[in-house]
Amino acid sequence: MPPSILVTGGAGYVGSHTVATLLERDDNRYDIVVVDNLSNSYRSENEKKPEALRRIEDMTGSTIHFYANDIRDRAALNRIFENHEIECVIHFAALKAVGESVEKPLEYYQANITGTCTLLEVMREHGVTQLVYSSSCTVYGEPQKLPLDEGHPTGQGISSPYGRTKYFCEEIMKDLCASDQNWKVISLRYFNPVGAHGSGRIGEDPYGIPNNLMPFISQVAVGRLSELLVFGGDYPTADGSGVRDYIHVQDLADGHVRAIQLFQDPRFVGFQPINLGTGTGYSVLQMVAAFEAASGCKIPHRVVGRRAGDIATNYADVSLARQLLGWGASRTVIDMCRDTWKWQSENPNGYKN
Ligand code: NAD
Ligand code: UFG
């Protein structure tokens, strides 16, 4: 049996792009096994596999093993580890809507923390001790200095239960690594993932009205929404709108591949957080202008009050990613906007139809 990578949440946005990137590599030696409960990904009624994975199989000519299970279902996870020779896990599965987490904190702690603990326990039972974790720059809270490097304090002033689940999971995995030298955990702290696979066949397909900037802009462009509300015009930034470090999802996916490669280095052990961003911040209004330039569409927009919990500016120090992973983002903001537009214009209703 070839070695496998278990990808939790692999039918979702970042997970599907990472699966595609792994399978597209000429030197890929892994089978890909995905577990996803489909709570935020689409599968059509007559199909066994989610649409994103079906399209990746079509694009790559590979077979993806798929299990429609919740990561809190210990028996189901055990069966997956019994059925496949799992070498390492990339753990994307989580609830991720910041606003919803304020309304439903228990659901978020249950899904994200209990889910992660169950996964870690089952991994340990099966002697699998290599994990790449999807963390977030939200663990830094309100930036005390910029750019944010991995030495910046975490856990202070995090504005949502969602953000705290990411912080708590990091702490849990840190403790686990301290207790047992066999564990290797790389916690990738994403800044703002945007964009889509260059083919236009897979992309971000949020349920309902998008919370995040880029899916909102692209749905305005395609006519599903009428105008963008720019949350805040009075931040201490060049044009008054909020500044973020947007990173192309394909660059992010490459970062996961590099993290898996780091597991092969016998000197690497323990818990290691690593930022994945570009190191450059763009404002909301700059992103609107970039999208207009890349798509040729006008994006009607209006500046309104700030959104609760938002910070003015963040962007990453990415030197550790370069040092440890030999990784750096190569795609520009125009690439991000062009690929978002290709996906959205060719799939105006996302994966449905
Ligand atoms: P997503 O919602 O598109 O993907 C998550 C997938 O996990 C979905 O397909 C969902 O159905 C599945 N899932 C959720 N709970 C599950 C459970 N209990 N059991 C099994 N499957 C479950 O989200 P994404 O944008 O791809 O994010 C992936 C990861 O990256 C998440 O952990 C998220 O917190 C983290 N992250 C995302 C961003 C971002 O802006 N997209 C930023 C920082 C960190
Ligand atoms: N924005 C708007 N209008 C919108 C949506 C967003 O002006 O309709 C602005 C926001 O105010 C912010 C910027 O666009 O200035 C980016 O907002 P997003 O919601 O796209 O992203 P956030 O930076 O707020 O959130 C991201 C991740 C979260 C993570 C958070 C940590 O999506 O998972 O970073 O900072 F928790």
Side-chain angles (χ1 to χ4, degrees), residues 8-16 35-42 67-73 91-97 110-112 115 133-138 162 165-166 188-194 204-207 212 252 256:
T8 76
Y13 173 46
V14 186
S16 59
V35 58
D36 195 302
N37 69 358
L38 301 170
S39 59
N40 199 32
S41 38
Y42 175 73
Y67 295 86
N69 293 115
D70 193 293
I71 53 164
R72 288 163 291 180
D73 182 343
H91 178 29
F92 295 104
L95 300 178
K96 64 156 188 180
Q110 165 65 226
N112 295 5
Y133 178 66
S134 291
S135 189
S136 164
C137 60
T138 193
Y162 161 74
T165 68
K166 293 283 145 186
L188 297 176
R189 294 178 177 159
Y190 311 161
F191 279 68
N192 286 54
V194 298
E204 186 169 14
D205 185 21
Y207 283 151
N212 296 114
L252 202 64
H256 291 73

Side-chain angles (χ1 to χ4, degrees), residues 96 98 136-138 162 192 211-213 216 228-231 242 244 246 284 307 310 314:
K96 64 156 188 180
V98 173
S136 164
C137 60
T138 193
Y162 161 74
N192 286 54
N211 299 307
N212 296 114
L213 180 67
F216 203 106
L228 169 74
L229 301 181
V230 177
F231 297 140
R244 297 290 183 274
Y246 297 94
V284 175
R307 183 172 68 177
D310 273 357
N314 78 358

Side-chain angles (χ1 to χ4, degrees), residues 321-334:
R322 195 165 282 289
Q323 187 192 317
L324 292 182
L325 304 178
W327 172 94
S330 63
R331 292 157 177 96
T332 65
V333 158
I334 291 291

